[in-house]
Amino acid sequence: MQKEVEKYIDKIRPSLQADGGDVELVEVTDDGIVKVKLLGACSGCPMSTLTIKNGIERALKQNVDGVKEVQPVQ
């Protein structure tokens, strides 16, 4: 699952970079939790929760079997 998550994170990354941000994949747990760290302009942005839940999490759940949740880490 790690490789598939990395593949889709790479597809999401350009849209974040266009706004001055980025995302780093920190961990994919055995129980389907994906942990990411937002970087640049995305770090601390008031919309970061929406970016994670409505953007990254939604895309990963639709495209990678076994993803249950995306969680931000500091």
Side-chain angles (χ1 to χ4, degrees), residues 59-72:
L60 289 176
K61 281 182 170 180
Q62 289 174 349
N63 294 290
V64 181
D65 289 336
V67 172
K68 293 187 173 53
E69 184 180 7
V70 175
Q71 296 177 349

Side-chain angles (χ1 to χ4, degrees), residues 8 11 13-14 31-32 44 47 49 53-54 57 59 65:
Y8 280 95
K11 289 183 179 186
R13 180 171 279 118
D31 57 346
M47 301 300 285
T49 301
K53 293 298 177 182
N54 293 340
E57 182 176 276
D65 289 336

Side-chain angles (χ1 to χ4, degrees), residues 12-53:
I12 295 164
R13 180 171 279 118
S15 63
L16 296 174
Q17 289 173 335
D19 290 328
D22 205 345
V23 62
E24 174 186 338
L25 178 62
V26 176
E27 179 183 10
V28 179
T29 67
D30 292 337
D31 57 346
I33 306 300
V34 177
K35 296 182 181 183
V36 298
K37 181 176 184 178
L38 293 178
L39 306 168
C42 292
S43 176
C45 170
M47 301 300 285
S48 63
T49 301
L50 288 175
T51 298
I52 289 174
K53 293 298 177 182

